[in-house]
Amino acid sequence: MPTAKRKLPEAGSHDLVCIMTGRLDQAQRIVIKVGSALLIEPDTSRVNAKWLGTLARDIAALRARGAHVLVVSSGAIALGREKLKFHAGLLNLEEAQAAAAAGQVDLAQAWAGAFASHGAPVAQILLTLFDTEERRRYLNARDTIETLLERGAIPVVNENDTVATSEIRFGDNDRLAARVASMISADCLVLLSDVDGLYRQDPKINPDAGFISEVTEITHEIEVMAGVPTQRTATAIGSGGMATKLMAAKIATGAGCHMVVTSGAREHPIAGLLAGDLATWFPASETPRAARKHWIAGGLNPEGSVSVDQGAERALRKGGSLLPAGVKTIDGSFERGAVVDVRTEKGRLVARGLSAYSSEDARRIIGHNSSAIESLLGYRGRAELVHRDDMVLM
């Protein structure tokens, strides 16, 4: 159950603070979500370059110790509406999409400029929730992000508001950040907000409201404290509600990713968080790898199966990936990213995993060395038919 605190007490709290901040300090893959209210100055409708510079230095420090960092950033609509001289107040869908298209250019330039002095290349990725749900698009997005991280880039993700087919809803980037964290098996998701975290009551109404530093289970009581999200289109400078952050927490922790909500209003917000600044943590009960394995093993229905020879089975038992050379037959019709059973030639279930190839392409490469894949298919695909990270032994 959550523990209520107005602030983290100085006495007797050192171990608790170390445990909570250690989730970020020890994380090797981190997603940081930045909202419009933090990034955009309300008086000028321009990027708060000074604040962004301090965040960039914090992120550079995380990268210096070897962590991969991805940013999910709002702000395109807020920047674009000023550039296009839209009226104050709510925008309709077409206006919001136009503002996003105009503002996205400035948003990308702001992030690239913030990291220029750190020698870190920035890459822009526009996603929708659909991109994180449809398997082929999910895998394409994941592979692109993985490549960027491996090459030392900082992916900056924003919702692709310009082509959204439904209303641009309040708080979508909270959920998008959680889905991206799940996609890349992140260890920690940081939601920088305009509030410190979760209170038992609205602190603006009750200054003595109890603060909740850790939520180990999202109960009905916790959901009532968070309130109900407001369904609107797009505000002048967007802000998210705590309810959407609880939705994000369910997604993130379900994927084995710790999540924390803390105020980003101060400079160097990540350094402050590591130093023990006020925050609400949502700890995951298992690692991203374990959560992914459980999801593959029991959360999805297989769409086909492959049979393997004894050599391939031995390699799988030792923790290896499934290579095309060890596959004898392909059963069923499926697309890339589908769940398939891996069986012996006698039909005994060995493993279950996500296929890197469609059934059609898989049939063309089985029995061949991975070096022959490009000549057989006409494109350079993965060396593995099922990678060990996308597979669980049964």
Side-chain angles (χ1 to χ4, degrees):
M1 289 297 294
T3 55
K5 296 181 177 69
R6 184 66 178 86
K7 63 179 181 178
L8 294 181
E10 295 180 2
S13 67
H14 178 71
D15 290 343
L16 176 61
V17 173
C18 288
I19 290 172
M20 291 191 290
T21 59
R23 295 166 184 153
L24 175 59
D25 193 38
Q26 298 171 18
Q28 293 301 303
R29 186 159 286 192
I30 303 164
V31 175
I32 299 173
K33 184 262 181 179
V34 180
S36 299
L38 299 176
L39 189 61
I40 310 301
E41 295 179 329
D43 295 335
T44 65
S45 295
R46 295 180 180 177
V47 171
N48 186 340
K50 182 182 178 182
W51 177 87
L52 182 56
T54 71
L55 176 61
R57 286 195 287 276
D58 287 353
I59 292 175
L62 294 175
R63 284 163 49 86
R65 68 160 176 79
H68 288 159
V69 182
L70 179 148
V71 174
V72 175
S73 175
S74 303
I77 294 177
L79 289 171
R81 70 180 297 147
E82 174 66 17
K83 180 182 288 188
L84 299 180
K85 306 301 181 184
F86 278 123
H87 55 82
L90 299 180
L91 303 178
N92 63 36
L93 180 59
E94 292 76 16
E95 290 171 334
Q97 289 176 322
Q104 198 61 244
V105 177
D106 291 344
L107 183 65
Q109 289 177 344
W111 282 104
F115 285 104
S117 62
H118 301 286
V122 171
Q124 183 188 52
I125 299 177
L126 299 179
L127 294 176
T128 65
L129 291 177
F130 180 67
D131 291 323
T132 68
E133 293 173 345
E134 200 274 325
R135 287 302 303 167
R136 292 185 66 182
R137 296 169 71 133
Y138 171 97
L139 289 174
N140 288 338
R142 188 189 71 175
D143 291 347
T144 298
I145 292 172
E146 291 285 354
T147 302
L148 289 170
L149 293 173
E150 290 171 3
R151 302 301 299 176
I154 299 176
V156 176
V157 177
N158 194 4
E159 186 173 8
N160 195 353
D161 295 328
T162 301
V163 298
T165 56
S166 59
E167 283 193 332
I168 300 170
R169 291 182 301 275
F170 219 41
D172 270 359
N173 271 1
D174 288 333
R175 293 191 292 272
L176 181 61
R179 288 177 180 270
V180 170
S182 172
M183 175 190 294
I184 66 171
S185 298
D187 304 296
C188 188
L189 167 61
V190 180
L191 298 186
L192 295 180
S193 179
D194 55 356
V195 295
D196 297 315
L198 180 62
Y199 288 83
R200 292 192 176 278
Q201 295 176 304
D202 188 342
K204 296 178 181 178
I205 299 176
N206 180 7
D208 296 322
F211 184 79
I212 300 176
S213 59
E214 185 174 66
V215 177
T216 57
E217 181 183 3
I218 300 177
T219 63
H220 176 67
E221 177 189 7
I222 293 294
E223 291 178 330
V224 170
M225 292 176 197
V228 179
T230 304
Q231 296 298 323
R232 296 195 288 180
T233 304
T235 57
I237 295 183
S239 61
M242 188 57 66
T244 62
K245 290 170 177 55
L246 290 191
M247 297 175 195
K250 291 178 181 180
I251 297 169
T253 56
C257 177
H258 302 304
M259 194 188 92
V260 59
V261 179
T262 191
S263 173
R266 54 190 169 268
E267 294 184 354
H268 295 286
I270 302 301
L273 179 59
L274 287 169
D277 278 354
L278 209 59
T280 298
W281 283 89
F282 298 81
S285 60
E286 57 185 351
T287 66
R289 180 181 176 86
R292 183 173 177 79
K293 297 283 187 178
H294 289 159
W295 172 68
I296 292 173
L300 299 169
N301 295 320
E303 298 180 36
S305 65
V306 303
S307 63
V308 299
D309 60 27
Q310 292 181 347
E313 180 185 1
R314 286 194 296 269
L316 297 182
R317 296 290 183 193
K318 294 179 180 179
S321 298
L322 178 60
L323 303 178
V327 179
K328 306 299 290 185
T329 61
I330 303 289
D331 293 315
S333 176
F334 51 85
E335 295 298 323
R336 176 173 178 257
V339 177
V340 296
D341 282 340
V342 180
R343 298 181 178 274
T344 66
E345 292 183 86
K346 294 184 179 181
R348 178 169 49 83
L349 182 62
V350 177
R352 179 170 292 167
L354 306 179
S355 177
Y357 293 91
S358 67
S359 56
E360 180 181 355
D361 285 349
R363 289 188 175 94
R364 296 167 63 184
I365 63 175
I366 60 172
H368 293 277
N369 190 282
S370 296
S371 60
I373 291 177
E374 185 171 5
S375 61
L376 291 168
L377 298 181
Y379 67 90
R380 183 182 177 184
R382 298 185 67 166
E384 310 86 8
L385 185 61
V386 182
H387 192 278
R388 63 182 182 182
D389 291 343
D390 293 331
M391 177 168 50
V392 58
L393 296 177
M394 302 299 288

